[in-house]
Amino acid sequence: MIPAEEAGTMARQTGNSDGLDEVLGGADVVPTRLGDAVVERLTQAILDGRLKPGDALPSEGRIAAAFGISKQIAREAIRELAAMGVVQIQQGKTTRVRALDAEPLGRIFRFAVRGSETGLVEAIELRRVLEPAVARLAAGRRTAQEVERLRAVLDRLEASLGDVPAWIEADLDFHDEIARMAGNKLMRLQMQALRPVIREVMEAFNSREKRGPADWRATYDRHAAIFAGIAAGSGAAAQRAMTIHFEAADQAIEELFPRPAAATG
């Protein structure tokens, strides 16, 4: 017996309650590496909107029947989807499609960095490569409403000068908002996934003894220059301002993670 909520989901997607093959396209799966094939078809159904966030995922039995596989393979495929963060499994409840988010990628970044100096420096290097291009895209695609949102975050930054916790939240939101404005889903997921790691970097940066009022103001001014480039719709100016922003961090990086002295002989 198919649960009523699942039947309703499938009926809405296909126009009747018997159209699972139409949704998942399982009939032509090649009988090799079946688990991978099932995961690929299910993720494609989610990505192209046949299965939407909040929808009930078809049961193991229905997936198995649609693909001509065992329930065990169907179960393993669903577990893999859960590990990817695209479905949510709850004991005793229907498995549901989740909205795509950065948490699975974030776990990978946190594991790769693990609080090590090398990992944190590599995270900074990744941002240095990524964010100038993100700023350039944001300048070319921004809307008036998005510019106002970014201006509001910039105002929060100025109001937070010297207040480390408030500054960090506003700083993270500033860069996340730019990633949203860029209109590139993959870039935004990357930025969101890096957020916990970058928070750790910012906590170290902003707690330095040498961090005085002039340094705070200079950092704010660099953010203001990024904003000005984006608001003006100048991709070149936005990219240049973001590049300068990261170049200015070199001194702080050296203070936090000094390079070993070169050997002489």
Side-chain angles (χ1 to χ4, degrees):
M1 181 79 177
I2 300 170
E5 60 182 352
E6 183 183 317
T9 295
M10 301 311 302
R12 173 167 51 77
Q13 292 158 345
T14 65
N16 61 70
S17 61
D18 297 320
L20 192 56
D21 283 345
E22 184 178 333
V23 173
L24 301 183
D28 62 342
V29 168
V30 177
T32 58
R33 300 183 63 85
L34 287 173
D36 290 347
V38 174
V39 168
E40 182 178 345
R41 290 295 178 82
L42 287 169
T43 52
Q44 188 58 50
I46 291 168
L47 290 172
D48 67 19
R50 284 171 286 156
L51 291 170
K52 297 178 174 59
D55 280 352
L57 196 71
S59 67
E60 293 172 5
R62 297 197 72 203
I63 291 173
F67 287 99
I69 58 175
S70 69
K71 285 187 178 182
Q72 180 179 351
I73 293 176
R75 186 178 305 119
E76 290 171 355
I78 292 171
R79 287 175 179 167
E80 185 171 342
L81 290 171
M84 293 165 59
V86 298
V87 302
Q88 183 174 19
I89 299 174
Q90 291 181 292
Q91 190 67 30
K93 295 184 178 180
T94 302
T95 298
R96 293 190 175 278
V97 177
R98 290 183 55 186
L100 190 63
D101 63 34
E103 178 55 31
L105 182 57
R107 288 197 297 268
I108 293 172
F109 280 140
R110 291 194 296 274
F111 179 77
V113 171
R114 298 189 303 279
S116 70
E117 289 187 5
T118 300
L120 293 175
V121 171
E122 288 176 348
I124 296 167
E125 290 175 348
L126 176 58
R127 288 186 72 198
R128 186 191 295 264
V129 170
L130 181 66
E131 292 206 47
V134 172
R136 187 181 191 95
L137 285 176
R141 297 174 177 176
R142 87 276 184 265
T143 65
Q145 184 179 17
E146 289 171 336
V147 169
E148 288 309 307
R149 281 204 303 263
L150 189 62
R151 186 192 305 275
V153 181
L154 184 67
D155 290 344
R156 283 172 50 206
L157 268 176
E158 186 169 28
S160 302
L161 288 170
D163 181 343
V164 172
W167 172 275
I168 288 174
E169 289 306 313
D171 198 350
L172 288 167
D173 288 347
F174 183 85
H175 290 272
D176 185 59
E177 189 63 38
I178 292 172
R180 183 201 305 272
M181 295 168 75
N184 184 304
K185 180 170 60 179
L186 295 181
M187 285 183 172
R188 187 165 185 228
L189 287 172
Q190 184 98 307
M191 292 293 297
Q192 289 175 326
L194 279 169
R195 186 170 177 131
V197 175
I198 298 309
R199 183 192 302 279
E200 187 174 347
V201 174
M202 287 182 175
E203 287 171 351
F205 270 28
N206 292 298
S207 299
R208 289 173 293 133
E209 292 182 1
K210 295 183 180 180
R211 184 80 155 140
D215 191 38
W216 281 101
R217 175 55 64 175
T219 305
Y220 168 79
D221 289 344
R222 292 195 299 272
H223 284 83
I226 296 166
F227 169 79
I230 292 173
S234 172
Q239 184 171 11
R240 182 169 59 251
M242 187 68 81
T243 299
I244 291 171
H245 177 52
F246 279 101
E247 288 174 349
D250 286 344
Q251 182 178 352
I253 294 171
E254 185 62 30
E255 290 176 25
L256 291 169
F257 312 118
R259 297 184 181 91
T264 58

